[in-house]
Amino acid sequence: MRRQWLVVVAVVAVSLATAGVVLHNGEGVTGRAVAAGVVGPVAEAAPSTAATTAPVTVTVDAPLAGKIKPGVTRTGPATFYDSDGGGFCLYDSSPDPLTVAMNWSDYEDSKACGAHVLVRAANGKSVTVRVTNLCPAPCRAGQLDLSEEAFARLADPKLGEIPVTWTLVSPEPTKKISLRYKAGSSRWWCGVQTIDHRNPLARLEIQVDGQWRELRRADYNYFLSENGAGCGGPVAVTDIYGERLVLGSPPIEPDVVQATSLQFAAR
């Protein structure tokens, strides 16, 4: 049966525009992932360089994983939907067709965004996908709503739903980490997004008046510096394994993807 879901998600942050969110579903498909776009225009040119100071890598001992933990195999149903690589994580649409909408429980207020999971079907076939979207209820805990291309690598799409196992992985990246300031960002309020990180993020910090300050992560995958806390200084990110990268001081250029020279280590 053809089903179409419509969800409107209002995101209100200072003077940011409201973002509309629509659910899409294909013919005979049981997927129900949220599809959304980045608020404001996105630069089409090559990314600028974010690091204006020498980046530093520091490793700390801290188990920072959320519900999706390294070395833990999960089970659940896999469905699929018509994905363009974008979604509730507010990444840009991507030519990479191998993406997934994470179930509402394991999405965990955007902690799953950018994670890579290896999905295995009972027939022995497997595929690695990147989390770019949210699959809300009635999507079940443990469920993966794959892109149609990813599902087709596991089974005939006519099946609609199959049982799978899935595990967090740390694949070889093709890009370095990039940063992006959200539309409406300024010296006094900003949202910061990290793109193309190899491992899931545990936290993002900015340096204000010589002190590091951890930012709150919104469920739409931006870290927010609010109440005049200050923006424009050095930015540091830490993955769930405790590796901390100081990425330099990206200029406040809203909606511009700014490349760095760093990437998290393989795990």
Side-chain angles (χ1 to χ4, degrees):
M1 178 181 295
R2 183 182 184 90
R3 297 180 180 177
Q4 187 172 41
W5 302 81
L6 177 63
V7 173
V8 177
V9 178
V11 178
V12 180
V14 189
S15 60
L16 296 184
T18 298
V21 180
V22 181
L23 294 171
H24 294 287
N25 200 10
E27 187 69 40
V29 178
T30 56
R32 49 185 67 84
V34 178
V38 175
V39 177
V42 177
E44 297 294 338
S48 61
T49 301
T52 57
T53 59
V56 179
T57 301
V58 181
T59 300
V60 296
D61 294 325
L64 301 171
K67 291 184 178 180
I68 304 176
K69 300 183 183 301
V72 177
T73 299
R74 305 286 298 279
T75 61
T79 51
F80 70 92
Y81 75 110
D82 184 15
S83 170
D84 64 359
F88 207 62
C89 293
L90 291 189
Y91 297 131
D92 297 337
S93 298
S94 170
D96 178 10
L98 303 181
T99 59
V100 63
M102 184 56 65
N103 68 81
W104 58 271
S105 176
D106 293 311
Y107 182 80
E108 202 177 358
D109 294 330
S110 81
K111 288 183 180 179
C113 288
H116 296 81
V117 294
L118 175 64
V119 187
R120 296 184 185 276
N123 60 13
K125 295 182 179 181
S126 64
V127 64
T128 296
V129 291
R130 181 170 66 104
V131 179
T132 63
N133 208 350
L134 165 68
C135 184
C139 189
R140 291 152 280 176
Q143 182 173 346
L144 300 179
D145 207 11
L146 300 166
S147 63
E148 185 172 0
E149 293 85 348
F151 189 96
R153 295 199 182 189
L154 300 176
D156 188 336
K158 292 180 180 179
L159 294 175
E161 179 177 316
I162 59 172
V164 296
T165 61
W166 53 276
T167 310
L168 181 68
V169 291
S170 179
E172 187 65 32
T174 59
K175 300 177 182 179
K176 301 297 185 182
I177 294 173
S178 294
L179 296 175
R180 173 164 53 197
Y181 282 103
K182 193 162 180 45
S185 292
S186 69
R187 174 70 178 83
W188 308 110
W189 182 97
C190 64
V192 186
Q193 182 187 57
T194 305
I195 305 169
D196 292 325
H197 43 93
R198 177 185 221 154
N199 304 320
L201 291 181
R203 58 176 174 243
L204 184 146
E205 305 161 86
I206 60 172
Q207 193 175 76
V208 181
D209 297 329
Q211 300 294 318
W212 286 104
R213 179 171 299 173
E214 183 176 353
L215 302 187
R216 177 181 71 85
R217 190 175 193 172
D219 62 1
Y220 52 90
N221 195 35
Y222 271 83
F223 293 84
L224 305 181
S225 179
E226 303 171 294
N227 304 318
C231 303
V235 176
V237 291
T238 304
D239 70 9
I240 63 171
Y241 301 96
E243 183 179 9
R244 182 174 185 267
L245 305 178
V246 177
L247 302 176
S249 303
I252 302 174
E253 298 178 357
D255 279 335
V256 175
V257 176
Q258 302 188 57
T260 78
S261 61
L262 296 181
Q263 183 57 266
F264 291 120
R267 301 291 176 174

